[in-house]
């Protein structure tokens, strides 16, 4: 199982808001920055959020990130069918030392 | 335009070896950490390894330590992953990614499939 814990799936209706949680520990999220990645079916992962809450150029502000203690959260507002994808959190784990990913969360837009 | 293009994947028998390459273009390759990340069929992302900009520092996941070696040729703008003693559980799509801080960043390749089977 993954070092970082994410819910396996979340769902919401178009236009609604959803949050995806990522839980870790002091050796990873607690002391390191978190990134979030979106993987659309059959494609390579895409960086959505870096440094906990920053968006790369071209990523709409419907996507947001936050971190508190040993947990991080990805928020998506104004859901669109095109947002259906797998979402992964990732960070550095200082005790391993390794990059660690969450197990991934499948977003369904109903 | 930044591009990362992986190659070298294929079918290999258990215990065999394979070398993956990742050709980089559109940026100053020698300035960036680089990562390998893999994804088994139907499974999640798993980080494999990373290398610093001049190749002097590397890290590996425990699952590949001692079997895989990451390296780079900055003159050829190419990242490598030498994979030895391959196991069925190494079957996956392998992605290279440019680093940002400690992590894989904004640029990823399209991936190359490695299948370990007899």
């Amino acid at each position: 199982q993954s070092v970082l814990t994410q819910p396996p799936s979340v769902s919401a209706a178009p236009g609604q808001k959803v949050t995806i949680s990522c839980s870790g520990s002091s050796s990873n999220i607690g002391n390191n920055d978190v990134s979030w990645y979106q993987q659309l079916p059959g494609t390579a992962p895409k960086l959505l959020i870096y440094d906990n809450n920053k968006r790369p150029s071209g990523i709409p502000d419907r996507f947001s990130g936050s971190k508190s203690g040993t947990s991080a959260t990805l928020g998506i507002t104004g859901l669109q069918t095109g947002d259906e994808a797998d979402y992964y959190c990732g960070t550095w784990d200082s005790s391993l030392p390794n990059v660690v990913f969450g197990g991934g969360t499948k977003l369904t837009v109903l | 335009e930044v591009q990362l293009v992986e190659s070298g994947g294929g079918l290999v028998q258990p215990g065999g070896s394979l070398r993956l390459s990742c050709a980089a273009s559109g940026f100053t390759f020698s300035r960036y950490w680089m990562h390998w990340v893999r994804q088994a069929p139907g499974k999640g992302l798993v980080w494999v390894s990373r290398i610093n900009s001049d190749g002097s520092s590397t890290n590996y996941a425990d699952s590949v330590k001692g079997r895989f070696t990451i390296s780079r040729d900055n003159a050829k703008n190419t990242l490598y992953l030498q994979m030895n003693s391959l196991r069925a559980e190494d079957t996956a799509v392998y992605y290279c990614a440019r680093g940002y801080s400690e992590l894989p960043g904004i640029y990823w390749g399209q991936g190359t499939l490695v299948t370990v089977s007899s």
Side-chain angles (χ1 to χ4, degrees):
Chain A
Q1 68 233 37
S2 303
V3 172
L4 305 180
T5 301
Q6 297 181 233
S9 62
V10 295
S11 61
Q16 297 300 303
K17 173 183 177 178
V18 71
T19 60
I20 298 172
S21 61
C22 176
S23 178
S25 67
S26 59
S27 66
N28 43 67
I29 293 178
N31 283 285
N32 295 287
D33 291 325
V34 176
S35 289
W36 288 91
Y37 305 87
Q38 176 194 60
Q39 188 176 33
L40 297 169
T43 70
K46 173 183 177 181
L47 181 67
L48 278 184
I49 299 289
Y50 66 99
D51 289 353
N52 306 315
N53 55 19
K54 298 182 175 67
R55 283 176 288 106
S57 174
I59 300 300
D61 59 6
R62 300 189 298 108
F63 296 90
S64 64
S66 63
K67 188 182 95 166
S68 178
T70 59
S71 293
T73 301
L74 174 70
I76 311 173
T77 60
L79 278 170
Q80 302 172 2
T81 55
D83 296 331
E84 286 201 335
D86 294 320
Y87 292 84
Y88 297 88
C89 57
T91 189
W92 181 253
D93 191 303
S94 306
S95 68
L96 292 177
N98 274 353
V99 173
V100 290
F101 289 108
T105 299
K106 183 177 182 59
L107 169 63
T108 301
V109 180
L110 302 167
Chain B
E1 179 194 6
V2 171
Q3 280 198 313
L4 296 170
V5 180
E6 301 95 338
S7 61
L11 176 63
V12 61
Q13 292 188 338
S17 298
L18 213 54
R19 188 177 84 156
L20 305 183
S21 300
C22 170
S25 61
F27 67 100
T28 305
F29 180 70
S30 60
R31 290 184 180 175
Y32 291 89
W33 286 75
M34 295 294 296
H35 296 254
W36 287 101
V37 176
R38 70 184 181 185
Q39 186 171 36
K43 302 296 185 182
L45 300 178
V46 176
W47 178 81
V48 174
S49 182
R50 71 171 190 169
I51 187 168
N52 71 340
S53 58
D54 67 5
S56 61
S57 177
T58 58
N59 299 99
Y60 296 92
D62 284 348
S63 58
V64 307
K65 203 172 292 183
R67 300 187 299 123
F68 290 12
T69 302
I70 190 172
S71 63
R72 65 192 297 160
D73 186 334
N74 285 345
K76 294 183 178 180
N77 291 339
T78 303
L79 173 72
Y80 302 102
L81 185 67
Q82 177 67 44
M83 305 185 295
N84 299 331
S85 303
L86 282 161
R87 307 167 180 166
E89 53 265 36
D90 296 318
T91 294
V93 173
Y94 284 74
Y95 296 100
C96 65
R98 194 179 87 173
Y100 172 79
S101 189
E102 307 283 338
L103 306 177
I106 194 170
Y107 297 108
W108 294 62
Q110 83 290 349
T112 187
L113 175 63
V114 172
T115 303
V116 184
S117 174
S118 55

